[in-house]
Amino acid sequence: MSSKLNAQVAELQDKQLYLDYLAHHDQLTKLPNRLLFLDRLTHAVDKAQRNCEQLAVLFMDLDRFKEINDSLGHFVGDQVLKIAAARLHECVRQEDTISRLGGDEFTIMIEDVHAAADAVVVAEKIIAAFQQPFVVEQHDFIVSCSIGISIYPQHGEQAEELLRNADAVMYQAKNLGRNNYQLASEEATGVAVAKQTQ
């Protein structure tokens, strides 16, 4: 193969890798997007099932984020999202998956948890981390968050179900005054799903 052809093939491979990256990552925060998160979660559920392990899904939403965008503009809002992503990285292990689903919604997958309490510890660390002020362009403010937690297999045996239940119970956390976490349960997810569909 000629060196020119080698260069063309390498360029095509680079472009393909870049397009693949774009398809699976959020451009603002560089975190995995919903597609990649669900793919990783599906594989993790299969592994947990084979090994009789548990895993946790945390669904997090920034409280009153729309007010920041509306009053300070989207540039400030984007910086808040980048800071939020960085803080999440500080609260989890390297092997855990953090994703931005869109808007101000983030998810975290924690594999090989021994009990729901392990996920609660992470949620508490995140809530504490978000009590530190966000400083963007001379603006200094607190951005709290609400978190819903679902555990495999108690709160779902499929990736979409775990994500849906964590999302539903996150609304329960918001309804209880924001800046807190709630652990999924049959009752909690039922109430939250009913509220979402009203």
Side-chain angles (χ1 to χ4, degrees):
M1 200 181 291
S2 72
S3 60
K4 185 177 180 183
L5 190 53
N6 274 337
Q8 288 174 330
V9 168
E11 186 181 345
L12 283 172
Q13 287 173 332
D14 286 347
K15 282 183 180 172
Q16 188 55 51
L17 284 171
Y18 181 62
L19 289 172
D20 187 58
Y21 178 86
L22 289 179
H24 294 95
H25 290 82
D26 169 54
Q27 295 312 294
L28 179 67
T29 62
K30 311 303 183 208
L31 292 173
N33 62 13
R34 176 185 286 270
L35 187 66
L36 183 53
F37 182 79
L38 280 172
D39 183 59
R40 288 185 182 177
L41 182 55
T42 299
H43 286 291
V45 165
D46 290 344
K47 177 174 166 273
Q49 188 175 33
R50 281 194 310 272
N51 299 336
C52 296
E53 296 171 346
Q54 297 184 91
L55 65 84
V57 174
L58 280 65
F59 198 112
M60 187 194 92
D61 185 88
L62 300 180
D63 296 331
R64 299 186 174 92
F65 179 71
K66 186 177 183 299
E67 292 174 16
I68 293 170
N69 269 340
D70 291 348
S71 61
L72 301 176
H74 287 278
F75 175 80
V76 172
D78 285 351
Q79 300 314 302
V80 166
L81 292 170
K82 288 180 180 180
I83 295 168
R87 290 193 186 176
L88 288 175
H89 276 294
E90 293 168 6
C91 296
V92 300
R93 304 168 303 186
Q94 194 169 351
E95 62 265 30
D96 298 328
T97 298
I98 305 168
S99 119
R100 180 182 172 218
L101 296 192
D104 60 334
E105 294 179 335
F106 294 84
T107 51
I108 301 160
M109 176 181 67
I110 308 167
E111 293 188 71
D112 193 20
V113 298
H114 301 294
D118 296 343
V120 165
V121 167
V122 175
E124 288 174 343
K125 279 173 68 175
I126 292 169
I127 287 170
F130 278 70
Q131 293 307 301
Q132 301 303 313
F134 283 64
V135 181
V136 181
E137 286 204 327
Q138 292 86 48
H139 301 289
D140 187 327
F141 43 83
I142 300 291
V143 183
S144 63
C145 61
S146 299
I147 302 172
I149 306 168
S150 64
I151 308 290
Y152 169 87
Q154 298 93 307
H155 308 130
E157 297 186 2
Q158 303 293 326
E160 288 278 9
E161 186 182 9
L162 287 163
L163 190 60
R164 186 171 58 248
N165 285 339
D167 182 16
V169 80
M170 182 271 295
Y171 279 94
Q172 192 81 346
K174 284 200 177 289
N175 291 336
L176 291 170
R178 300 181 172 89
N179 192 34
N180 73 92
Y181 65 86
Q182 293 295 310
L183 184 62
S185 67
E186 194 173 323
E187 181 187 355
T189 52
V191 168
V193 168
K195 284 187 181 295
Q196 283 181 281
T197 55
Q198 282 174 359

